[in-house]
Amino acid sequence: MPSSFLFYIMKELNLFTLSLKNLKRKGFRTGILIFSIALTVSILVFGLSFILSVNSSIKRASDRLGADLIVVPVGARDYAEEVLLETKVKSFYMDKGIVDRVKKIEGIETVTYQTYLSTIQGACCDIPEAMVIVFNQDTDFIVKPWLKKAISRKLEKGEVIVGHESLLNIGLGLMDIDANIFGIRFKIIGALEKTGTGLDNALFMSDENIEDILKKGTSNLKPMDISVIFTKVRKGYDPYQVGRNIEGEIIEVDVVSRSDIGKDIIHTLKDIKQIFSMAIVLALLLSAFLSWAIFSAIANERSREVGIMRAIGAKESHIITLFFTEVFIIGTIGSLAGIGVGIYLFIFLSKGFSIIKNISTNITLTGEIAIALVAFIVGTIICILGAISPIYRLKKIEPLIAIKEG
Amino acid sequence: MPQIEIVTLTKAYMIGKDTIKALDSISLKINKGEFLSIVGHSGSGKTTFLSIIGGILMPTSGKVVFDGTDIYSLNQEKLSEYRSKKVGFIFQFASLLPVLTAKENLLLPSVFSQKNMGNNEKKVSEYLDMVGLGDKLDAYPSQLSGGQQRRVAIARAFINDPEVILADEPTGDLDEETETEIMGLFKKMHEEKGATFLLVTHSSDLARHARRHLRMHNGKLLEI
Ligand SMILES: Nc1ncnc2c1ncn2[C@@H]1O[C@H](COP(=O)(O)OP(=O)(O)OP(=O)(O)O)[C@@H](O)[C@H]1O
Ligand SMILES: [Mg+2]
């Protein structure tokens, strides 16, 4: 019933079917405009998706990191960010003695530390290259919330829990199995939930295993090596000030505060954003211009027809409706195609962009829908904007003159 | 009260700096159901006159009063309704939309007058039959001869049951036999529907059917 109704509507002559007939008549030209709108919209969708996903993963990373200040070996500030935000495997070390010195700084509430090791397939371990995060379970407050959700108990010696992404990397069927890491048989007992940060790509174990690993000598780790110190700052203290105090007292370290995480990336992102914005504005202008040019040509070609329609009773509103229906059809098809291409580009082409490849990208469905909606509206509006003046010129035509001019 | 009252109608065209007076203060009263013929030399102002009565060309001065209303005092919406509902115009020039078939060209006026299309389908084939094109329903204008196109345009002028038919040399490119058929149709419409006819023609055969005969000369209208 509904399909036969639709068939009836499509067969019937009305302003909609008339505009379809008009568009078909110059298929190639219609196609060019659709293509241009699609191109513009796809750039818009790709750019917005890119920026939104990078922004949100940085925000997520700093939100979910339970620390106010991150203390790293001097010069390792960037490495630390890469570990936390991206999926890079990095190792950098400082002396464990620094932990106690940090603890003594005024305003520090709690302190915990982690040691980063890297596994390289073949050499030491039978899992792909990954980051191993060795943490101190007595003081830990970084991994704890995730661990609690996953297994609701502490990790025993000889046990490993993996991040959400490395679970996928290692293989889903490998739960509750043994793996050789640094020459020691570890039991993989589970996986953490997705955190949306670099931690998703790591393996976690407690520092009770350090001694055994050192004994095997399968890593480049030396005794008393740690990589980062996470601290919480007491209420009433300014984290920045405390951070400066730490750097002042302990020359071997750099301090990153939570709100500074990803600052460099955000900075780089600003440039990328600017390039995207420029490309988008340019594409929008070009599309609007093309729409204007094409509808100006259409207006010239069809002024005689408009004259005829006006002479047999078409109101100005009929003419406007007819032409804007054509514009709207072009804008809609172009925008929809552009949204499809843009999302496809983002998913498949983005693998080639190291900045997205390394940052765990996951735009929520609502985010993607919002982007699609914005892109759709912009794509359609730009088409309409270009066509407005030619169409309004048409509507003012004096019927007889237009008919005779044809 | 006359159906149409034309009051000191003047139309001046500008060509560069020159003004051409195509119509020179014409006054005329036409009663409902009258059949008028207009003859005149080429360039004497016939098309201009018909167009102003049909609401598709602004006069320079003067009035066209239809059923008591000056049509050029109406807003564009009401003026469009006048063209759509009161007038059937047969143009001197080709006037079909090229993207539409003969049938669709006949349906087009009802798209603008918002009449029920469903009912019109039957009427459309009926009217195309009347002009002898019952077998050309789905032909596009480009697939029709000039005379056939003209006949589709004639059928289109009648489709909305107008009160006034303005026919500008409707049989200009038709042979004698077809002309007689079309004239038969005009007579039928005139007698059955009581429509008013203003017919510009050079054919004395056609003009014979008219009750009033007018001649246009240099923008002046004379009763003969
Ligand atoms: N748009 C215009 N601009 C300038 N002059 C015009 C225009 N239209 C018509 N004219 C002039 O107005 C005069 C009347 O033209 P009109 O078309 O009314 O003549 P007509 O009687 O219909 O002629 P025909 O029998 O050849 O169709 C002519 O001299 C013509 O040159
Ligand atoms: Mg003429």
Side-chain angles (χ1 to χ4, degrees):
Chain A
M1 186 63 190
S3 70
S4 71
F5 176 71
L6 195 70
F7 180 71
Y8 177 73
I9 294 280
M10 293 304 288
K11 234 189 86 186
E12 190 191 7
L13 181 70
N14 51 43
L15 290 176
F16 182 71
T17 49
L18 180 55
S19 61
L20 281 182
K21 285 174 202 289
N22 285 326
L23 288 176
K24 263 191 243 159
R25 149 161 72 163
K26 288 273 162 102
F28 182 69
R29 191 173 57 187
T30 307
I32 286 184
L33 188 52
I34 289 178
F35 181 77
S36 138
I37 299 288
L39 205 71
T40 306
V41 168
S42 67
I43 297 172
L44 188 65
V45 167
F46 179 75
L48 285 178
S49 303
F50 176 87
I51 289 163
L52 199 80
S53 81
V54 176
N55 267 349
S56 78
S57 44
I58 289 172
K59 191 173 157 3
R60 210 170 24 223
S62 65
D63 280 355
R64 296 201 169 170
L65 195 71
D68 297 320
L69 296 173
I70 302 152
V71 182
V72 295
V74 73
R77 193 193 293 264
D78 291 346
Y79 294 160
E81 281 196 2
E82 281 169 9
V83 170
L84 293 172
L85 293 178
E86 307 176 25
T87 65
K88 285 190 181 154
V89 179
K90 285 270 145 79
S91 35
F92 43 89
Y93 301 111
M94 58 188 169
D95 189 76
K96 199 174 179 177
I98 294 174
V99 176
D100 284 331
R101 290 162 65 194
V102 170
K103 240 187 251 175
K104 286 191 190 116
I105 305 283
E106 199 192 334
I108 295 293
E109 187 174 278
T110 39
V111 173
T112 187
Y113 54 91
Q114 295 180 351
T115 310
Y116 297 158
L117 296 167
S118 107
T119 69
I120 293 160
Q121 196 170 22
C124 70
C125 317
D126 58 7
I127 54 167
E129 183 180 5
M131 184 85 185
V132 175
I133 296 179
V134 182
F135 63 102
N136 177 271
Q137 285 204 100
D138 299 332
T139 55
D140 170 66
F141 55 89
I142 302 288
V143 188
K144 202 180 199 168
W146 303 99
L147 200 60
K148 207 167 161 189
K149 273 193 208 165
I151 55 167
S152 59
R153 66 170 171 82
K154 285 193 165 185
L155 279 180
E156 300 290 330
K157 195 176 168 192
E159 284 182 341
V160 164
I161 193 158
V162 298
H164 189 266
E165 296 294 322
S166 51
L167 168 72
L168 301 179
N169 289 343
I170 295 169
L172 272 170
L174 296 178
M175 295 310 294
D176 259 323
I177 53 123
D178 290 351
N180 176 9
I181 304 168
F182 305 119
I184 300 167
R185 293 221 70 78
F186 278 96
K187 198 172 157 68
I188 300 176
I189 59 156
L192 299 180
E193 252 180 47
K194 197 174 176 72
T195 64
T197 68
L199 301 184
D200 287 343
N201 294 278
L203 278 67
F204 297 85
M205 62 173 67
S206 99
D207 61 358
E208 294 156 292
N209 300 297
I210 283 278
E211 232 172 279
D212 292 349
I213 292 171
L214 284 169
K215 252 185 242 162
K216 288 272 175 191
T218 41
S219 74
N220 51 354
L221 193 68
K222 290 188 288 301
M224 295 302 280
D225 270 354
I226 61 163
S227 301
V228 277
I229 301 168
F230 294 100
T231 74
K232 278 189 188 170
V233 172
R234 257 184 240 284
K235 276 219 170 68
Y237 284 87
D238 172 21
Y240 275 102
Q241 192 51 51
V242 176
R244 271 195 292 274
N245 291 346
I246 295 174
E247 280 180 347
E249 300 228 352
I250 311 167
I251 51 159
E252 300 100 310
V253 299
D254 278 340
V255 178
V256 186
S257 79
R258 185 216 293 254
S259 46
D260 283 346
I261 292 174
K263 235 185 185 169
D264 283 349
I265 296 182
I266 287 171
H267 209 75
T268 319
L269 206 63
K270 245 183 210 154
D271 295 343
I272 295 176
K273 254 191 234 175
Q274 241 156 33
I275 293 166
F276 267 129
S277 307
M278 259 159 59
I280 288 167
V281 167
L282 220 69
L284 286 176
L285 284 177
L286 271 174
S287 289
F289 174 75
L290 198 64
S291 172
W292 173 82
I294 284 178
F295 275 94
S296 292
I298 287 176
N300 282 339
E301 272 165 32
R302 299 213 334 240
S303 68
R304 204 178 92 83
E305 286 171 37
V306 171
I308 293 166
M309 288 190 283
R310 294 282 279 136
I312 63 171
K315 298 174 181 173
E316 285 181 6
S317 61
H318 287 123
I319 304 301
I320 298 283
T321 308
L322 175 68
F323 280 89
F324 274 123
T325 306
E326 293 181 26
V327 176
F328 198 74
I329 291 170
I330 290 176
T332 302
I333 297 175
S335 298
L336 289 180
I339 288 167
V341 171
I343 291 175
Y344 177 89
L345 277 184
F346 179 65
I347 293 171
F348 290 92
L349 196 103
S350 67
K351 289 182 175 152
F353 276 77
S354 72
I355 190 163
I356 324 186
K357 194 168 68 184
N358 292 328
I359 288 179
S360 54
T361 53
N362 38 9
I363 300 186
T364 55
L365 188 64
T366 17
E368 204 55 75
I369 288 172
I371 289 175
L373 213 66
V374 166
F376 180 83
I377 292 169
V378 170
T380 312
I381 283 183
I382 215 69
C383 201
I384 290 173
L385 232 53
I388 278 181
S389 94
I391 290 178
Y392 271 77
R393 222 180 318 134
L394 264 187
K395 137 193 136 151
K396 287 290 172 201
I397 262 173
E398 193 161 19
L400 181 70
I401 309 294
I403 296 172
K404 289 210 303 195
E405 267 169 3
Chain B
M1 186 177 70
Q3 186 186 32
I4 306 170
E5 191 172 356
I6 292 143
V7 187
T8 58
L9 197 63
T10 299
K11 177 71 186 180
Y13 288 114
M14 297 288 294
I15 301 181
K17 279 181 186 159
D18 301 331
T19 27
I20 294 175
K21 247 189 189 171
L23 298 182
D24 192 358
S25 35
I26 292 175
S27 294
L28 185 70
K29 287 180 184 152
I30 302 166
N31 290 317
K32 193 166 163 52
E34 274 198 281
F35 201 126
L36 286 82
S37 78
I38 303 173
V39 293
H41 290 301
S42 177
S44 58
K46 305 180 295 294
T47 297
T48 305
F49 184 57
L50 241 53
S51 300
I52 294 178
I53 297 175
I56 60 172
L57 183 68
M58 277 287 268
T60 308
S61 65
K63 282 195 279 196
V64 175
V65 182
F66 185 92
D67 279 347
T69 323
D70 175 5
I71 61 167
Y72 288 100
S73 69
L74 298 171
N75 61 21
Q76 71 84 16
E77 185 139 331
K78 290 272 181 257
L79 185 58
S80 300
E81 268 169 28
Y82 167 77
R83 293 170 189 150
S84 162
K85 297 193 173 135
K86 306 289 184 191
V87 181
F89 212 122
I90 301 164
F91 301 95
Q92 189 179 6
F93 328 95
S95 65
L96 301 180
L97 290 208
V99 278
L100 300 182
T101 61
K103 185 177 101 183
E104 290 165 338
N105 263 292
L106 256 65
L107 283 169
L108 194 58
S110 54
V111 170
F112 304 132
S113 63
Q114 261 110 33
K115 281 193 180 163
N116 189 338
M117 308 282 288
N119 293 340
N120 266 15
E121 291 266 344
K122 232 179 77 192
K123 201 170 172 184
V124 164
S125 5
E126 210 177 281
Y127 276 57
L128 275 177
D129 254 347
M130 283 198 301
V131 293
L133 292 172
D135 55 339
K136 299 286 187 194
L137 245 65
D138 295 318
Y140 286 94
S142 59
Q143 298 165 326
L144 296 172
S145 74
Q148 287 171 332
Q149 289 181 33
R150 174 57 58 100
R151 282 184 278 159
V152 174
I154 291 171
R156 184 183 63 190
F158 287 120
I159 200 92
N160 264 355
D161 296 323
E163 292 175 30
V164 183
I165 294 288
L166 303 172
D168 199 352
E169 301 202 33
T171 58
D173 34 22
L174 297 181
D175 60 285
E176 253 171 72
E177 204 176 315
T178 319
E179 188 185 279
T180 313
E181 270 174 38
I182 294 299
M183 202 51 230
L185 179 63
F186 281 15
K187 264 174 78 179
K188 191 170 155 225
M189 286 294 157
H190 182 229
E191 280 156 15
E192 284 179 11
K193 313 246 160 151
T196 309
F197 272 74
L198 263 82
L199 175 62
V200 170
T201 183
H202 288 293
S203 154
S204 43
D205 270 355
L206 267 190
R208 228 183 32 223
H209 294 276
R211 298 287 157 73
R212 278 173 83 183
H213 302 271
L214 305 169
R215 174 179 295 279
M216 186 72 80
H217 183 70
N218 282 342
K220 296 251 185 217
L221 198 60
L222 316 161
E223 203 123 2
I224 48 176

